[in-house]
Amino acid sequence: MTGLRHLLSAADLDHAGAIAVLDTAAQMAATQSREIKKLPTLRGRTVVNLFFEDSTRTRISFEAAAKRLSADVINFSAKGSSVSKGESLKDTALTLQAMGADAVVIRHHASGAPHRLAHAGWVDAAVVNAGDGTHQHPTQALLDAFTLRRHLAGGSDNPDGVGLDLAGTHVAIVGDVLHSRVARSNVLLLHTLGARVTLVAPPTLVPVGVEAWPCAVSYDLDGVITDQQPDAVMMLRVQRERMGAGGGAASGATSFFPSPLEYTRTFGLDARRLRMLPDHAIVLHPGPMNRGLEISADAADSDRSVIVEQVSNGVAVRMAVLYLLLAGEREGWS
Amino acid sequence: MTTHLLRGASPLGGAATDVLLADGRVAALGADARSGADAGTVTVDADGLVLLPGLVDLHTHLREPGREDAETVRSGTRAAAAGGFTAVHAMANTSPVADTAGVVEQVWRLGRDAGWVDVFPVGAVSVGLAGTQLAELGAMAHSAARVRVFSDDGQCVHDPVLMRRALEYVKAFDGVIAQHAQEPRLTVGAQMHEGAVSAEVGLAGWPAVAEEAIIARDVLLAEHVGSRLHVCHLSTAGSVEIVRWAKARGIAVTAEVTPHHLLLTDELARTYDPLYKVNPPLRTAEDVEALREALADGTIDIVATDHAPHTREDKDCEWAAAAFGMTGLETALPIVATTLVETGRMTWADVARVLSSAPARIGRVDTGPTPQGRPVAVGEPANLTLVDPAARWTVEPRQLRSASTNTPYGGRELSGRVVATFLRGRPTVLDGAPVDTDLDGTDPR
Ligand SMILES: [Zn+2]
């Protein structure tokens, strides 16, 4: 089986490919508990972090992953530079090509920008999508799946759930689905791994066309928690510009819900809803959180919250992705 | 002037005959044509070729003045001739906007001097396409350009009062308002058709209702004030239903569809290739089928290209940053042939109607100093196109004549090819190629 050239979407991974990434990530995580964390695997290879959009947490996660594999890392922050107006994605790509990049990790505000970078013939490098517009964020979905697998599939003899998928688990993804690349990636990957997904959001924050997605949709968070007892709840960040009066609708755009208070009352995860969840259920959030809006401090800091662990798992998953893309062919990558 | 004898041509796909072109007119048909030819007559072998009235485009962006890097009147009309056209209506969204008699006369003169096709400028409805104040519609109508079609195309005339006034005002000179139907608030930031594909690929949706709501409002306004309304580039099944209803009610509405909306769907957005980014967006397969059916049954009156050339830098980028639009003059007739004639849903006589006589009638250029869209008959102006219906060819973007290469059909095989075009008896295209110098070696333009 030939190796995957790029990771642009969670849809690029079939069941075997997804398991291979998660199992590789488990190996990578094991090395990270050692005293010397660095592996020589990607010595001499160059990984470029090309960020057209601010995301310090994602950039440092990829940077740590590449460095622990001994790759050379170049950070190219394009936001606010010539790129935003004059210099095109194409010219930036040609520059990276001339620099001999082996992999380009790209974060871009435009959906499909990584796809263009990979397929327009501008660069030879492997392209990793680190979040594009409202499209995809596949490594986020992988780290979420890794975290879910550890808590919901693994046992005492196999704490990371190596070799296992997420069959039989039910994950509720709550919040701004319409604008969320995290939701799109998770729906695809969790479905591939056999999990059942329910999206929960006000109807204004669910995209027209969602009927084609392999998941259920509900407008009733209390109903989902009470009646379906999900094994995990993933809270999505609600951006300020989606809010109503007082929330900063400075753009003049019509808000997607009446007020932050009404949103929190209806779709926020607070102590009461936390208590309604089954005992084994865990709480995820891709960060950064709006405490008091989509998630209360009680929920964010509770012992069910795996939000801090998601961050460390992110490094292991990104190590696995870079390793599998750059260190040659691996089984299960379609 | 050189006379031409078209040997064995099939007018509107009917029985083969000979056609003599002399003094800018169809001089004779059949045996009279052969006997009317003399030693100086140039014979064109038209055996197996369909003879159509020269095509008339009601919706062309020639980009001049202002964006001569994408297209000029000369390059765009040369491409038009290559596509079988003898007339195009040049849209008003140039820089400066064609909202005064001065600008429309400039475009009209550029077209006349280029000599490839008749250029009929479209006048803007509102000053600067800003949608607030009526442009000097009367001055444009009474200028040398004789403007009859008014449009803010690229923008929707969304203010209902301005739309009503425009519809009423142009009655004085039998004008028509050609509406780009797009409710602006429902399409802020819109990138592609809103549906299953947009939900998946994460591009902001352009909902069908944003088009349909404006068309519904406008047909009611047109009925109320008794005016003519033309709907540009109708793209959804729902729009077809509204136009069908309006026509049944006797409202004076006409509608156009573009070749790309007859062929391509929103699935192409999955490539994120901005060649497929267009406004209104590519819709679903169900919409495509509804549009084909409506064109065949006459609910949609015409095919218009919405030829929209763009420079490479406006397309060689990420989807959201790219310009809307695709070229279409040289592929319009082949797409109609491929999607509707080859499938048996339309005849060549229907093609002549939707690509020549009906658009000429809507634009009121079927009469006047340079009539277009006339029947293939003795005494009529010799604006003619010869088409090889059996030719199959593969679109090669760099071989097309537009100054821009943003065709979405590169590599696609199409049926039907323009072999020759005549503008008032003078060949602008022969053997499938533009005639860049006259037959006696002088530049006719
Ligand atoms: Zn338009």
Side-chain angles (χ1 to χ4, degrees):
Chain A
M1 197 178 288
T2 54
L4 193 71
R5 280 280 336 262
H6 311 287
L7 182 62
L8 305 177
S9 163
D12 295 344
L13 297 168
D14 61 11
H15 186 270
I19 297 286
V21 179
L22 299 182
D23 289 353
T24 306
Q27 291 172 6
M28 296 294 173
T31 68
Q32 297 311 296
S33 53
R34 292 183 203 151
E35 207 161 314
I36 299 171
K37 294 183 167 66
K38 207 158 173 169
L39 304 173
T41 319
L42 297 183
R43 185 165 292 149
R45 314 297 290 274
T46 301
V47 175
V48 176
N49 286 323
L50 177 58
F51 275 57
F52 289 81
E53 193 181 73
D54 273 339
S55 176
T56 306
R57 54 173 54 216
T58 304
R59 184 183 55 74
I60 61 176
S61 180
F62 270 105
E63 186 173 352
K67 283 183 170 166
R68 286 177 194 178
L69 292 168
S70 302
D72 297 323
V73 179
I74 299 171
N75 287 315
F76 192 119
S77 175
K79 193 181 182 254
S81 75
S82 58
V83 174
S84 39
K85 208 54 185 158
E87 189 177 2
S88 70
L89 177 63
K90 178 179 177 179
D91 289 326
T92 307
L94 296 177
T95 303
L96 301 183
Q97 175 73 1
M99 286 161 59
D102 295 294
V104 178
V105 175
I106 177 175
R107 160 80 69 128
H108 202 289
H109 46 82
S111 298
H115 195 280
R116 288 288 279 164
L117 192 63
H119 294 298
W122 301 331
V123 292
D124 299 327
V127 177
V128 179
N129 182 358
D132 63 327
T134 55
H135 177 223
Q136 284 277 315
H137 192 359
T139 60
Q140 177 71 43
L142 283 163
L143 77 87
D144 290 337
F146 184 84
T147 307
L148 288 164
R149 192 172 76 159
R150 284 198 67 223
H151 288 271
L152 301 176
S156 53
D157 55 331
N158 181 9
D160 287 332
V162 171
L164 301 176
D165 63 13
L166 293 170
T169 60
H170 180 208
V171 180
I173 302 177
V174 185
D176 182 0
V177 176
L178 179 64
H179 302 95
S180 176
R181 50 198 176 207
V182 175
R184 281 173 179 75
S185 299
N186 266 294
V187 166
L188 292 174
L189 186 69
L190 295 178
H191 173 73
T192 298
L193 290 169
R196 187 160 68 87
V197 177
T198 301
L199 300 175
V200 187
T204 47
L205 289 174
V206 177
V208 167
V210 76
E211 304 76 29
W213 294 9
C215 61
V217 177
S218 169
Y219 309 136
D220 177 7
L221 179 57
D222 283 332
V224 168
I225 292 176
T226 309
D227 304 339
Q228 305 192 28
Q229 293 281 288
D231 303 299
V233 181
M234 184 183 298
M235 303 307 296
L236 301 173
R237 176 179 168 78
V238 176
Q239 304 218 342
R240 291 276 155 196
E241 63 263 31
R242 320 291 181 217
M243 294 177 201
S251 65
T254 306
S255 59
F256 287 83
F257 46 85
S259 71
L261 271 178
E262 176 155 321
Y263 183 88
T264 302
R265 267 198 305 273
T266 322
F267 296 100
L269 187 65
D270 55 12
R272 178 181 66 85
R273 291 190 172 116
L274 202 63
R275 282 195 301 274
M276 288 155 56
L277 285 167
D279 290 341
H280 67 274
I282 58 171
V283 174
L284 298 90
H285 191 297
M289 291 182 280
N290 288 310
R291 284 172 185 257
L293 182 60
E294 73 266 6
I295 190 164
S296 73
D298 295 332
D301 301 333
S302 81
D303 53 6
R304 291 151 177 277
S305 165
V306 294
I307 296 168
V308 175
E309 186 193 324
Q310 284 174 275
V311 176
S312 55
N313 290 344
V315 176
V317 158
R318 285 161 182 140
M319 288 174 76
V321 168
L322 290 172
Y323 171 78
L324 290 167
L325 283 175
L326 292 181
E329 304 186 351
R330 281 297 174 279
E331 282 179 31
W333 287 70
S334 56
Chain B
M1 189 177 189
T2 310
T3 58
H4 287 82
L5 181 66
L6 316 182
R7 295 290 303 260
S10 301
L12 311 188
T17 185
D18 297 338
V19 183
L20 183 68
L21 318 183
D23 299 325
R25 297 189 175 272
V26 176
L29 295 169
D32 291 349
R34 286 189 296 283
S35 59
D38 59 29
T41 299
V42 174
T43 298
V44 177
D45 178 11
D47 189 34
L49 305 185
V50 172
L51 181 63
L52 299 175
L55 309 185
V56 177
D57 192 14
L58 202 61
H59 194 145
T60 314
H61 295 277
L62 291 177
R63 300 291 185 226
E64 190 176 0
R67 287 306 303 267
E68 292 82 356
D69 54 339
E71 195 85 280
T72 62
V73 170
R74 191 173 290 269
S75 67
T77 54
R78 184 169 175 266
F85 290 88
T86 53
V88 300
H89 287 73
M91 271 301 170
N93 62 338
T94 49
S95 180
V97 171
D99 58 2
T100 64
V103 178
V104 294
E105 287 194 347
Q106 178 195 359
V107 172
W108 177 75
R109 287 207 176 85
L110 287 166
R112 192 188 57 182
D113 294 348
W116 290 103
V117 302
D118 288 339
V119 173
F120 299 113
V122 173
V125 171
S126 66
V127 174
L129 308 178
T132 50
Q133 181 190 349
L134 283 181
E136 289 194 348
L137 309 179
M140 291 188 272
H142 298 118
S143 73
R146 300 168 58 97
V147 176
R148 291 295 177 273
V149 181
F150 298 88
S151 181
D152 275 359
D153 184 60
Q155 305 292 322
C156 180
V157 182
H158 60 90
D159 178 341
V161 179
L162 187 75
M163 185 63 181
R164 175 198 169 140
R165 299 273 187 265
L167 284 166
E168 288 179 310
Y169 194 82
V170 300
K171 287 201 284 188
F173 32 84
D174 198 17
V176 64
I177 304 299
Q179 175 71 294
H180 170 117
Q182 176 180 5
E183 211 299 310
R185 292 275 293 147
L186 284 172
T187 51
V188 173
Q191 296 290 323
M192 66 170 293
H193 173 67
E194 182 169 63
V197 180
S198 67
E200 194 179 321
V201 303
L203 291 170
W206 198 131
V209 63
E211 174 173 310
E212 294 154 6
I214 292 293
I215 296 175
R217 180 200 76 178
D218 286 354
V219 296
L220 295 173
L221 280 174
E223 177 178 46
H224 181 61
V225 299
S227 296
R228 287 204 292 142
L229 168 72
H230 178 71
V231 183
C232 293
H233 41 55
L234 186 147
S235 71
T236 77
S239 298
V240 168
E241 285 310 306
I242 294 164
V243 170
R244 193 172 275 140
W245 173 87
K247 287 189 165 186
R249 225 170 133 86
I251 297 170
V253 58
T254 53
E256 77 189 29
V257 62
T258 68
H260 46 272
H261 288 113
L262 288 172
L263 182 65
L264 308 177
T265 70
D266 62 341
E267 290 288 334
L268 289 163
R270 293 184 190 281
T271 65
Y272 291 104
D273 187 336
L275 283 177
Y276 304 113
K277 181 176 175 180
V278 67
N279 191 14
L282 301 176
R283 304 286 187 184
T284 67
E286 292 72 35
D287 293 307
V288 168
E289 175 50 31
L291 295 170
R292 290 182 184 186
E293 185 188 338
L295 183 64
D297 74 17
T299 303
I300 293 176
D301 299 82
I302 68 169
V303 173
T305 66
D306 197 5
H307 176 79
H310 287 291
T311 59
R312 273 187 60 203
E313 50 271 33
D314 281 340
K315 286 289 190 182
D316 230 358
C317 53
E318 58 274 24
W319 181 285
F324 288 99
M326 41 183 67
T327 61
L329 285 167
E330 293 158 88
T331 43
L333 180 72
I335 287 169
V336 173
T338 304
T339 58
L340 287 146
V341 180
E342 217 169 52
T343 54
R345 300 173 78 162
M346 278 175 43
T347 65
W348 287 104
D350 294 327
V351 174
R353 173 171 51 80
V354 303
L355 272 164
S356 181
S357 61
R361 181 67 195 139
I362 293 166
R364 296 297 190 254
V365 299
D366 54 336
T367 57
T370 58
Q372 290 280 347
R374 304 293 305 172
V376 181
V378 174
E380 294 288 353
N383 299 316
L384 298 166
T385 294
L386 278 171
V387 182
D388 180 354
R392 290 192 70 79
W393 60 291
T394 302
V395 180
E396 171 47 62
R398 298 197 174 282
Q399 284 174 7
L400 300 178
R401 278 82 180 187
S402 170
S404 292
T405 54
N406 57 306
T407 172
Y409 309 113
R412 217 178 254 268
E413 197 181 60
L414 297 173
S415 288
R417 179 141 218 191
V418 173
V419 175
T421 308
F422 295 88
L423 179 64
R424 286 183 285 283
R426 177 170 56 81
T428 53
V429 174
L430 282 177
D431 297 324
V435 180
D436 286 304
T437 55
D438 207 356
L439 297 176
D440 62 12
T442 62
D443 189 332
R445 288 165 285 280

